[in-house]
Each structure stands twice: as structure tokens, then as C-alpha cells.
Amino acid sequence: MMVDGMAGPVGLKRQLLRIGAPVALVAFVLDQLSKQWVLSSVLPCLSGPSGPGCAVNSPMIEVTGFFNLVMVWNFGVSFGLFASGADLMPYVLVLLSLVISGALIAWAWRSASSFQALSVGLVVGGAVGNIIDRLRFGAVADFLDFHLAGWHWPAFNVADCCIVVGVCLLLIDGLFAKPQTP
């Protein structure tokens, strides 16, 4: 079986390593650099240590009429779902993220598609970025706030963007890609 000019399972593994791993690394690094920049320079804690326990956060910064930089700590998953005061919740969410990422990596490992490797790389890189936040702070740092006519989309970060784009690409691939013939 030929896959993008490479034969057999070794070619499939190379696909994931050649495309998916660098994409995941770039997504992770961009996420962590953007969070570090926001937490240290743009919206630093004005009183106490940086993180969800900050006594006084910097005020929001209006960038445009539809975009602000804000400091929001997300203790749950998307849009704050499953946020709970339970001490173990960050670790439960880390475990869940690791299981989902592992399943996606296993799937991409068997895939012959560069597009799927890229998509999974985005999802995994974003997931690892948010995992690091949960382990460091017990919550995820969100700071991008888009709004229109008084309606605000929940704040998010670069990792969230990578996850959403990666999942959308996987859906597009699943819906519109032509099946590969052996």
C-alpha cells in the first residue's frame, strides 16, 4: 500500500510525525507564549500571585469596538461547562483531555491523511496548552473577548482556537473527503 509516496505502516507513522507533531508543537508554543505575554505584560495581576487567586486583576483593554483583552479563569471546559469547586476537578479534566488526545493520536497514527494529521496536531497542541494551565493554575487562562451589540462570546485563548479549528477540519474531512481506495 502506498501512502503519499511511502509504503506501509511506517509511512503512516511518518505522516503523523512529519506533520502532526510539528503542528501540535507550534500550537502549544503559540498558546503558551500568548498566555505568558498576557499574564506578565498585558493583564498582569495587580495584587498577589498571577493566577485564579489574583486579588486584583488588570482592567480589560478595549482593542477595537468588537474586541477586548480580558482576564478570565475558566475552571471548567468550553464556556465554563463542568466548572465545579471540587479540588479534583482540574485533574479530572486533565485526565479527560489526555484520554481524548491519546485517542486522536491513535486514530491519526493509523490514518493515511496529511490533512487528518494536521487537524489532530492542532487539537492535541491546543489540548496540551490547556492541560499545562490546569496543572499550573487549576484553571485555564482565557483572554480573547469578542462582542457585538452588547453580546459577548465567552472569552477564549489560542489553545481553544487551535482545538476548534482542528475539530472543524476533522469534520470537514469526514464529510467531504473522498474515501481512499486500497
Side-chain angles (χ1 to χ4, degrees):
M1 170 171 105
M2 294 296 288
V3 179
D4 291 338
M6 295 179 278
V10 172
L12 298 177
K13 293 175 187 173
R14 284 189 192 147
Q15 208 52 351
L16 181 63
L17 293 174
R18 184 174 58 86
I19 296 169
V23 167
L25 181 62
V26 168
F28 169 75
V29 168
L30 288 176
D31 173 65
Q32 291 299 295
L33 287 175
S34 66
K35 289 173 181 171
Q36 183 60 36
W37 174 68
V38 166
L39 291 172
S40 64
S41 302
V42 180
L43 297 167
C45 181
L46 300 176
S47 176
S50 186
C54 176
V56 179
N57 282 312
S58 294
M60 74 149 196
I61 298 171
E62 184 176 341
V63 179
T64 69
F66 61 88
F67 173 61
N68 302 325
L69 291 174
V70 299
M71 192 65 252
V72 176
W73 291 96
N74 184 350
F75 292 90
V77 292
S78 300
F79 317 119
L81 294 173
F82 306 119
S84 130
D87 292 338
L88 289 178
M89 187 52 80
Y91 302 105
V92 169
L93 295 175
V94 164
L95 182 61
L96 180 64
S97 294
L98 288 171
V99 167
I100 292 169
S101 294
L104 285 171
I105 289 169
W107 175 52
W109 195 262
R110 293 186 311 270
S111 172
S113 168
S114 300
F115 191 75
Q116 288 176 358
L118 176 133
S119 304
V120 168
L122 284 170
V123 174
V124 170
V128 171
N130 283 342
I131 286 170
I132 296 300
D133 280 14
R134 287 189 198 291
L135 293 175
R136 280 182 66 198
F137 303 115
V140 174
D142 290 333
F143 54 90
L144 303 171
D145 173 42
F146 285 87
H147 56 91
L148 182 64
W151 180 81
H152 284 256
W153 187 258
F156 58 97
N157 58 42
V158 173
D160 298 335
C161 293
C162 292
I163 292 167
V164 168
V165 169
V167 168
C168 287
L169 292 175
L170 287 171
L171 289 172
I172 289 168
D173 183 61
L175 291 171
F176 300 110
K178 293 183 182 181
Q180 295 179 353
T181 56

